[in-house]
Short mmCIF file of all heavy atoms in Angstrom, two decimals:
data_model
loop_
_atom_site.label_atom_id
_atom_site.label_comp_id
_atom_site.label_asym_id
_atom_site.label_seq_id
_atom_site.Cartn_x
_atom_site.Cartn_y
_atom_site.Cartn_z
N VAL F 4 33.85 -2.49 19.87
CA VAL F 4 33.41 -1.73 21.05
C VAL F 4 33.97 -2.32 22.31
O VAL F 4 33.71 -3.52 22.59
CB VAL F 4 31.87 -1.71 21.05
CG1 VAL F 4 31.39 -0.80 22.24
CG2 VAL F 4 31.28 -1.14 19.74
N LEU F 5 34.70 -1.51 23.07
CA LEU F 5 35.28 -1.96 24.36
C LEU F 5 34.40 -1.56 25.52
O LEU F 5 34.50 -2.16 26.62
CB LEU F 5 36.65 -1.35 24.48
CG LEU F 5 37.64 -1.57 23.31
CD1 LEU F 5 38.98 -0.92 23.60
CD2 LEU F 5 37.78 -3.06 23.01
N LYS F 6 33.65 -0.50 25.39
CA LYS F 6 32.86 0.03 26.51
C LYS F 6 31.73 0.93 25.99
O LYS F 6 31.90 1.64 25.01
CB LYS F 6 33.75 0.82 27.50
CG LYS F 6 33.03 1.63 28.50
CD LYS F 6 32.34 0.80 29.55
CE LYS F 6 31.61 1.69 30.61
NZ LYS F 6 30.76 0.84 31.53
N THR F 7 30.56 0.83 26.65
CA THR F 7 29.43 1.72 26.29
C THR F 7 29.10 2.61 27.50
O THR F 7 29.00 2.13 28.65
CB THR F 7 28.19 0.88 25.93
OG1 THR F 7 28.56 0.05 24.82
CG2 THR F 7 27.03 1.79 25.52
N TYR F 8 28.95 3.88 27.26
CA TYR F 8 28.58 4.82 28.26
C TYR F 8 27.20 5.51 27.88
O TYR F 8 26.93 5.66 26.68
CB TYR F 8 29.61 5.97 28.47
CG TYR F 8 30.98 5.55 28.77
CD1 TYR F 8 31.93 5.38 27.68
CD2 TYR F 8 31.44 5.42 30.03
CE1 TYR F 8 33.24 5.06 27.97
CE2 TYR F 8 32.77 5.04 30.31
CZ TYR F 8 33.64 4.87 29.29
OH TYR F 8 34.93 4.53 29.56
N TYR F 9 26.42 5.90 28.86
CA TYR F 9 25.35 6.80 28.66
C TYR F 9 25.63 8.06 29.47
O TYR F 9 25.54 8.02 30.70
CB TYR F 9 24.00 6.17 29.05
CG TYR F 9 23.36 5.36 27.95
CD1 TYR F 9 23.57 4.01 27.83
CD2 TYR F 9 22.59 5.96 26.95
CE1 TYR F 9 23.04 3.23 26.84
CE2 TYR F 9 22.04 5.20 25.95
CZ TYR F 9 22.25 3.83 25.85
OH TYR F 9 21.72 3.08 24.84
N THR F 10 25.94 9.12 28.74
CA THR F 10 26.38 10.33 29.43
C THR F 10 25.17 11.25 29.65
O THR F 10 24.20 11.25 28.81
CB THR F 10 27.40 11.08 28.62
OG1 THR F 10 26.81 11.52 27.40
CG2 THR F 10 28.57 10.19 28.33
N PRO F 11 25.14 12.06 30.71
CA PRO F 11 23.96 12.95 30.94
C PRO F 11 23.80 13.98 29.80
O PRO F 11 22.66 14.34 29.49
CB PRO F 11 24.30 13.65 32.28
CG PRO F 11 25.33 12.74 32.92
CD PRO F 11 26.11 12.11 31.81
N GLN F 12 24.90 14.37 29.19
CA GLN F 12 24.78 15.46 28.15
C GLN F 12 24.62 14.87 26.76
O GLN F 12 23.71 15.30 26.06
CB GLN F 12 26.07 16.32 28.21
CG GLN F 12 26.33 16.96 29.52
CD GLN F 12 27.15 16.02 30.47
OE1 GLN F 12 27.68 14.99 30.06
NE2 GLN F 12 27.21 16.43 31.74
N GLY F 13 25.48 13.96 26.35
CA GLY F 13 25.59 13.58 24.95
C GLY F 13 24.89 12.23 24.65
O GLY F 13 25.00 11.76 23.50
N GLY F 14 24.26 11.59 25.60
CA GLY F 14 23.60 10.31 25.28
C GLY F 14 24.60 9.20 25.16
O GLY F 14 25.58 9.17 25.94
N LYS F 15 24.42 8.31 24.24
CA LYS F 15 25.21 7.13 24.14
C LYS F 15 26.61 7.40 23.54
O LYS F 15 26.74 8.13 22.55
CB LYS F 15 24.51 6.04 23.27
CG LYS F 15 25.19 4.70 23.26
CD LYS F 15 24.37 3.66 22.49
CE LYS F 15 25.06 2.32 22.48
NZ LYS F 15 24.26 1.29 21.77
N LEU F 16 27.62 6.80 24.17
CA LEU F 16 29.01 6.95 23.69
C LEU F 16 29.67 5.60 23.73
O LEU F 16 29.62 4.90 24.76
CB LEU F 16 29.75 7.94 24.67
CG LEU F 16 30.94 8.69 24.11
CD1 LEU F 16 30.58 9.58 22.98
CD2 LEU F 16 31.57 9.49 25.26
N SER F 17 30.28 5.20 22.64
CA SER F 17 30.93 3.90 22.47
C SER F 17 32.44 4.05 22.38
O SER F 17 32.88 4.71 21.44
CB SER F 17 30.34 3.11 21.27
OG SER F 17 28.93 2.95 21.35
N LEU F 18 33.16 3.42 23.30
CA LEU F 18 34.64 3.46 23.24
C LEU F 18 35.07 2.32 22.33
O LEU F 18 34.74 1.18 22.61
CB LEU F 18 35.20 3.32 24.63
CG LEU F 18 36.70 3.59 24.78
CD1 LEU F 18 37.04 5.05 24.57
CD2 LEU F 18 37.14 3.09 26.15
N VAL F 19 35.78 2.61 21.27
CA VAL F 19 36.11 1.55 20.25
C VAL F 19 37.62 1.55 19.99
O VAL F 19 38.29 2.57 20.05
CB VAL F 19 35.37 1.77 18.94
CG1 VAL F 19 33.86 1.85 19.20
CG2 VAL F 19 35.79 3.03 18.22
N ARG F 20 38.13 0.34 19.68
CA ARG F 20 39.47 0.15 19.17
C ARG F 20 39.36 0.08 17.64
O ARG F 20 38.64 -0.76 17.14
CB ARG F 20 40.11 -1.08 19.76
CG ARG F 20 41.35 -1.62 18.98
CD ARG F 20 42.55 -0.79 19.33
NE ARG F 20 43.69 -1.24 18.48
CZ ARG F 20 44.83 -1.78 18.97
NH1 ARG F 20 44.96 -1.97 20.22
NH2 ARG F 20 45.80 -2.08 18.14
N VAL F 21 40.16 0.93 16.96
CA VAL F 21 40.18 0.87 15.52
C VAL F 21 41.26 -0.13 15.11
O VAL F 21 42.47 0.07 15.37
CB VAL F 21 40.49 2.25 14.91
CG1 VAL F 21 40.33 2.16 13.39
CG2 VAL F 21 39.57 3.33 15.50
N TRP F 22 40.90 -1.22 14.45
CA TRP F 22 41.85 -2.23 14.10
C TRP F 22 42.37 -2.08 12.70
O TRP F 22 43.50 -2.43 12.33
CB TRP F 22 41.23 -3.63 14.23
CG TRP F 22 40.94 -4.06 15.62
CD1 TRP F 22 39.79 -4.09 16.28
CD2 TRP F 22 41.95 -4.56 16.53
NE1 TRP F 22 40.00 -4.56 17.61
CE2 TRP F 22 41.33 -4.86 17.75
CE3 TRP F 22 43.35 -4.72 16.50
CZ2 TRP F 22 42.02 -5.32 18.89
CZ3 TRP F 22 44.04 -5.18 17.58
CH2 TRP F 22 43.36 -5.44 18.78
N GLN F 23 41.54 -1.49 11.83
CA GLN F 23 41.93 -1.33 10.40
C GLN F 23 41.19 -0.14 9.84
O GLN F 23 40.09 0.18 10.24
CB GLN F 23 41.53 -2.61 9.70
CG GLN F 23 41.73 -2.58 8.18
CD GLN F 23 41.30 -3.88 7.50
OE1 GLN F 23 41.97 -4.87 7.54
NE2 GLN F 23 40.14 -3.86 6.86
N GLY F 24 41.88 0.46 8.87
CA GLY F 24 41.23 1.62 8.16
C GLY F 24 41.13 2.83 9.08
O GLY F 24 41.95 2.95 10.03
N SER F 25 40.24 3.70 8.81
CA SER F 25 40.04 4.90 9.60
C SER F 25 38.58 5.15 9.88
O SER F 25 37.71 4.69 9.08
CB SER F 25 40.65 6.11 8.95
OG SER F 25 40.03 6.33 7.66
N LEU F 26 38.29 5.83 10.94
CA LEU F 26 36.91 6.24 11.31
C LEU F 26 36.76 7.74 11.12
O LEU F 26 37.73 8.50 11.45
CB LEU F 26 36.57 5.84 12.72
CG LEU F 26 36.65 4.36 13.12
CD1 LEU F 26 36.19 4.18 14.55
CD2 LEU F 26 35.88 3.50 12.18
N THR F 27 35.61 8.20 10.64
CA THR F 27 35.35 9.59 10.50
C THR F 27 34.03 9.93 11.19
O THR F 27 33.17 9.06 11.39
CB THR F 27 35.28 9.96 9.01
OG1 THR F 27 34.29 9.18 8.37
CG2 THR F 27 36.66 9.81 8.35
#
């Protein structure tokens, strides 16, 4: 996780760097 946001619409949002594999 590089950054955490709390947005007015969608709640918590985590900006992440994917180092290995894939995220779904």
Side-chain angles (χ1 to χ4, degrees):
V4 182
L5 308 180
K6 168 66 180 174
T7 302
Y8 304 92
Y9 274 94
T10 64
Q12 303 85 12
K15 186 175 181 179
L16 205 60
S17 301
L18 190 69
V19 304
R20 163 75 186 245
V21 187
W22 290 103
Q23 176 181 282
S25 62
L26 302 184
T27 56

